[in-house]
Short mmCIF file of all heavy atoms in Angstrom, two decimals:
data_model
loop_
_atom_site.label_atom_id
_atom_site.label_comp_id
_atom_site.label_asym_id
_atom_site.label_seq_id
_atom_site.Cartn_x
_atom_site.Cartn_y
_atom_site.Cartn_z
N PHE A 1 132.42 -116.55 2.47
CA PHE A 1 131.38 -116.73 3.48
C PHE A 1 131.85 -116.18 4.82
O PHE A 1 131.09 -115.55 5.55
CB PHE A 1 131.04 -118.21 3.61
CG PHE A 1 129.96 -118.50 4.62
CD1 PHE A 1 128.63 -118.31 4.29
CD2 PHE A 1 130.28 -118.96 5.89
CE1 PHE A 1 127.62 -118.57 5.23
CE2 PHE A 1 129.30 -119.22 6.82
CZ PHE A 1 127.97 -119.02 6.48
N PHE A 2 133.11 -116.42 5.15
CA PHE A 2 133.68 -115.94 6.41
C PHE A 2 133.67 -114.41 6.45
O PHE A 2 133.23 -113.80 7.44
CB PHE A 2 135.10 -116.47 6.55
CG PHE A 2 135.84 -115.93 7.74
CD1 PHE A 2 135.49 -116.32 9.03
CD2 PHE A 2 136.88 -115.04 7.58
CE1 PHE A 2 136.17 -115.82 10.14
CE2 PHE A 2 137.57 -114.54 8.68
CZ PHE A 2 137.21 -114.93 9.95
N LEU A 3 134.14 -113.79 5.39
CA LEU A 3 134.18 -112.32 5.34
C LEU A 3 132.78 -111.74 5.32
O LEU A 3 132.53 -110.70 5.95
CB LEU A 3 134.97 -111.87 4.11
CG LEU A 3 136.46 -112.20 4.12
CD1 LEU A 3 137.10 -111.82 2.79
CD2 LEU A 3 137.16 -111.49 5.27
N LEU A 4 131.86 -112.37 4.60
CA LEU A 4 130.48 -111.89 4.55
C LEU A 4 129.84 -111.96 5.93
O LEU A 4 129.12 -111.03 6.34
CB LEU A 4 129.67 -112.73 3.56
CG LEU A 4 128.18 -112.34 3.40
CD1 LEU A 4 128.05 -110.92 2.88
CD2 LEU A 4 127.48 -113.32 2.47
N THR A 5 130.11 -113.03 6.68
CA THR A 5 129.58 -113.15 8.04
C THR A 5 130.08 -112.03 8.93
O THR A 5 129.32 -111.42 9.70
CB THR A 5 129.96 -114.51 8.64
OG1 THR A 5 129.48 -115.56 7.79
CG2 THR A 5 129.37 -114.68 10.02
N ILE A 6 131.39 -111.74 8.84
CA ILE A 6 131.96 -110.66 9.64
C ILE A 6 131.32 -109.32 9.29
O ILE A 6 130.96 -108.53 10.17
CB ILE A 6 133.49 -110.59 9.42
CG1 ILE A 6 134.15 -111.82 10.04
CG2 ILE A 6 134.06 -109.31 10.04
CD1 ILE A 6 135.65 -111.86 9.84
N LEU A 7 131.14 -109.07 8.01
CA LEU A 7 130.55 -107.80 7.57
C LEU A 7 129.10 -107.68 8.03
O LEU A 7 128.65 -106.60 8.43
CB LEU A 7 130.64 -107.68 6.05
CG LEU A 7 132.04 -107.50 5.46
CD1 LEU A 7 131.99 -107.50 3.94
CD2 LEU A 7 132.68 -106.22 5.98
N ILE A 8 128.36 -108.78 8.00
CA ILE A 8 126.96 -108.77 8.45
C ILE A 8 126.89 -108.46 9.94
O ILE A 8 126.10 -107.62 10.39
CB ILE A 8 126.27 -110.11 8.14
CG1 ILE A 8 126.07 -110.26 6.63
CG2 ILE A 8 124.92 -110.20 8.85
CD1 ILE A 8 125.50 -111.60 6.23
N VAL A 9 127.73 -109.13 10.72
CA VAL A 9 127.74 -108.91 12.17
C VAL A 9 128.12 -107.47 12.49
O VAL A 9 127.47 -106.79 13.31
CB VAL A 9 128.70 -109.90 12.85
CG1 VAL A 9 128.89 -109.53 14.32
CG2 VAL A 9 128.17 -111.32 12.74
N LEU A 10 129.16 -106.96 11.84
CA LEU A 10 129.57 -105.57 12.07
C LEU A 10 128.48 -104.60 11.65
O LEU A 10 128.16 -103.65 12.37
CB LEU A 10 130.86 -105.27 11.29
CG LEU A 10 132.17 -105.75 11.91
CD1 LEU A 10 133.33 -105.51 10.95
CD2 LEU A 10 132.43 -105.04 13.22
N GLY A 11 127.89 -104.83 10.47
CA GLY A 11 126.86 -103.93 9.96
C GLY A 11 125.63 -103.90 10.85
O GLY A 11 125.12 -102.82 11.17
N VAL A 12 125.17 -105.09 11.27
CA VAL A 12 123.99 -105.16 12.13
C VAL A 12 124.27 -104.50 13.48
O VAL A 12 123.44 -103.76 14.03
CB VAL A 12 123.55 -106.62 12.33
CG1 VAL A 12 122.49 -106.74 13.41
CG2 VAL A 12 123.02 -107.18 11.02
N GLY A 13 125.47 -104.76 14.03
CA GLY A 13 125.81 -104.19 15.32
C GLY A 13 125.84 -102.67 15.29
O GLY A 13 125.28 -102.00 16.16
N ILE A 14 126.49 -102.10 14.28
CA ILE A 14 126.59 -100.63 14.18
C ILE A 14 125.23 -100.03 13.86
O ILE A 14 124.85 -98.99 14.40
CB ILE A 14 127.63 -100.24 13.12
CG1 ILE A 14 129.02 -100.71 13.58
CG2 ILE A 14 127.64 -98.73 12.88
CD1 ILE A 14 130.11 -100.49 12.55
N TYR A 15 124.46 -100.69 13.00
CA TYR A 15 123.14 -100.17 12.64
C TYR A 15 122.18 -100.21 13.83
O TYR A 15 121.39 -99.27 14.02
CB TYR A 15 122.56 -101.00 11.49
CG TYR A 15 121.19 -100.56 11.03
CD1 TYR A 15 121.03 -99.48 10.17
CD2 TYR A 15 120.05 -101.23 11.47
CE1 TYR A 15 119.78 -99.07 9.75
CE2 TYR A 15 118.79 -100.82 11.06
CZ TYR A 15 118.65 -99.75 10.21
OH TYR A 15 117.42 -99.34 9.80
N ALA A 16 122.25 -101.28 14.64
CA ALA A 16 121.33 -101.41 15.78
C ALA A 16 121.56 -100.31 16.80
O ALA A 16 120.62 -99.87 17.47
CB ALA A 16 121.50 -102.78 16.43
N GLY A 17 122.79 -99.84 16.93
CA GLY A 17 123.07 -98.84 17.95
C GLY A 17 123.21 -97.42 17.42
O GLY A 17 123.75 -96.56 18.11
N ARG A 18 122.70 -97.19 16.22
CA ARG A 18 122.91 -95.88 15.59
C ARG A 18 122.16 -94.75 16.28
O ARG A 18 122.55 -93.59 16.19
CB ARG A 18 122.50 -95.94 14.12
CG ARG A 18 121.00 -96.07 13.90
CD ARG A 18 120.65 -96.44 12.48
NE ARG A 18 119.22 -96.39 12.24
CZ ARG A 18 118.37 -97.32 12.63
NH1 ARG A 18 118.80 -98.36 13.32
NH2 ARG A 18 117.08 -97.21 12.37
N LYS A 19 121.06 -95.03 16.98
CA LYS A 19 120.23 -93.98 17.58
C LYS A 19 120.32 -93.94 19.10
O LYS A 19 119.42 -93.44 19.76
CB LYS A 19 118.76 -94.18 17.16
CG LYS A 19 118.51 -93.98 15.67
CD LYS A 19 117.03 -94.13 15.34
CE LYS A 19 116.77 -93.91 13.85
NZ LYS A 19 115.33 -94.05 13.52
N GLU A 20 121.40 -94.44 19.64
CA GLU A 20 121.55 -94.43 21.08
C GLU A 20 122.12 -93.09 21.53
O GLU A 20 123.27 -92.76 21.22
CB GLU A 20 122.45 -95.59 21.52
CG GLU A 20 121.80 -96.95 21.24
CD GLU A 20 122.63 -98.09 21.76
OE1 GLU A 20 123.83 -97.87 21.98
OE2 GLU A 20 122.08 -99.18 21.94
N ASN A 21 121.31 -92.32 22.25
CA ASN A 21 121.69 -90.96 22.63
C ASN A 21 121.92 -90.79 24.13
O ASN A 21 122.55 -89.83 24.55
CB ASN A 21 120.61 -89.97 22.17
CG ASN A 21 120.39 -90.02 20.67
OD1 ASN A 21 121.35 -90.07 19.90
ND2 ASN A 21 119.12 -90.03 20.25
N THR A 22 121.38 -91.71 24.92
CA THR A 22 121.51 -91.59 26.37
C THR A 22 122.17 -92.84 26.94
O THR A 22 122.33 -93.85 26.25
CB THR A 22 120.12 -91.41 27.02
OG1 THR A 22 119.35 -92.62 26.82
CG2 THR A 22 119.39 -90.23 26.41
N SER A 23 122.55 -92.75 28.21
CA SER A 23 123.16 -93.90 28.87
C SER A 23 122.17 -95.06 28.98
O SER A 23 122.55 -96.22 28.92
CB SER A 23 123.66 -93.51 30.26
OG SER A 23 122.59 -93.03 31.06
N GLU A 24 120.89 -94.75 29.12
CA GLU A 24 119.87 -95.79 29.17
C GLU A 24 119.78 -96.51 27.84
O GLU A 24 119.61 -97.73 27.79
CB GLU A 24 118.51 -95.19 29.55
CG GLU A 24 117.42 -96.25 29.71
CD GLU A 24 116.11 -95.68 30.20
OE1 GLU A 24 116.04 -95.34 31.39
OE2 GLU A 24 115.18 -95.53 29.38
N ASP A 25 119.88 -95.77 26.73
CA ASP A 25 119.89 -96.40 25.41
C ASP A 25 121.11 -97.30 25.26
O ASP A 25 121.01 -98.41 24.72
CB ASP A 25 119.91 -95.33 24.31
CG ASP A 25 118.60 -94.54 24.25
OD1 ASP A 25 117.57 -95.08 24.68
OD2 ASP A 25 118.63 -93.39 23.79
N TYR A 26 122.25 -96.82 25.73
CA TYR A 26 123.50 -97.54 25.51
C TYR A 26 123.58 -98.81 26.36
O TYR A 26 123.93 -99.88 25.86
CB TYR A 26 124.69 -96.63 25.82
CG TYR A 26 126.02 -97.21 25.44
CD1 TYR A 26 126.51 -97.09 24.14
CD2 TYR A 26 126.80 -97.89 26.38
CE1 TYR A 26 127.74 -97.63 23.79
CE2 TYR A 26 128.03 -98.44 26.04
CZ TYR A 26 128.49 -98.30 24.74
OH TYR A 26 129.71 -98.83 24.40
N PHE A 27 123.25 -98.70 27.65
CA PHE A 27 123.44 -99.82 28.57
C PHE A 27 122.20 -100.70 28.71
O PHE A 27 122.32 -101.87 29.10
CB PHE A 27 123.85 -99.31 29.95
CG PHE A 27 125.22 -98.70 29.97
CD1 PHE A 27 125.38 -97.33 30.06
CD2 PHE A 27 126.35 -99.50 29.89
CE1 PHE A 27 126.65 -96.76 30.08
CE2 PHE A 27 127.62 -98.94 29.91
CZ PHE A 27 127.77 -97.57 30.00
N LEU A 28 121.01 -100.18 28.43
CA LEU A 28 119.78 -100.95 28.61
C LEU A 28 119.01 -101.14 27.30
O LEU A 28 117.88 -101.64 27.32
CB LEU A 28 118.86 -100.25 29.63
CG LEU A 28 119.44 -100.08 31.03
CD1 LEU A 28 118.46 -99.35 31.93
CD2 LEU A 28 119.82 -101.43 31.63
N GLY A 29 119.60 -100.74 26.19
CA GLY A 29 118.94 -100.93 24.90
C GLY A 29 117.67 -100.12 24.75
O GLY A 29 116.77 -100.49 23.98
N GLY A 30 117.59 -98.99 25.47
CA GLY A 30 116.40 -98.16 25.38
C GLY A 30 115.15 -98.84 25.90
O GLY A 30 114.03 -98.39 25.64
N ARG A 31 115.30 -99.93 26.64
CA ARG A 31 114.16 -100.72 27.18
C ARG A 31 113.19 -101.15 26.08
O ARG A 31 111.98 -101.26 26.31
CB ARG A 31 113.41 -99.92 28.24
CG ARG A 31 114.26 -99.44 29.41
CD ARG A 31 113.42 -98.58 30.35
NE ARG A 31 114.22 -98.01 31.41
CZ ARG A 31 114.46 -98.58 32.58
NH1 ARG A 31 113.94 -99.76 32.83
NH2 ARG A 31 115.18 -97.99 33.50
N SER A 32 113.71 -101.39 24.90
CA SER A 32 112.83 -101.73 23.78
C SER A 32 113.24 -103.03 23.10
O SER A 32 112.87 -103.27 21.95
CB SER A 32 112.86 -100.59 22.75
OG SER A 32 114.17 -100.37 22.25
N LEU A 33 114.03 -103.85 23.78
CA LEU A 33 114.49 -105.09 23.16
C LEU A 33 113.37 -106.12 23.12
O LEU A 33 112.66 -106.33 24.11
CB LEU A 33 115.67 -105.66 23.95
CG LEU A 33 116.96 -104.81 23.93
CD1 LEU A 33 117.97 -105.37 24.92
CD2 LEU A 33 117.53 -104.76 22.54
N PRO A 34 113.16 -106.81 22.00
CA PRO A 34 112.12 -107.85 21.92
C PRO A 34 112.54 -109.09 22.69
O PRO A 34 113.73 -109.32 22.95
CB PRO A 34 112.04 -108.13 20.41
CG PRO A 34 113.39 -107.77 19.88
CD PRO A 34 113.87 -106.62 20.72
#
């Protein structure tokens, strides 16, 4: 469970930021955060 939690957090984090191309995307989340 511990390892699965770590993998989920890492996977979601990397997947969420996969399309960040500009500084606005990186620092402001592309202004699209719910």
Side-chain angles (χ1 to χ4, degrees):
F1 181 80
F2 174 71
L3 293 174
L4 180 62
T5 303
I6 291 178
L7 292 175
I8 290 175
V9 171
L10 280 174
V12 170
I14 295 175
Y15 180 81
R18 70 193 187 283
K19 294 182 179 180
E20 294 184 341
N21 301 317
T22 65
S23 59
E24 184 175 286
D25 292 335
Y26 188 85
F27 292 106
L28 300 178
R31 303 176 185 271
S32 60
L33 294 171

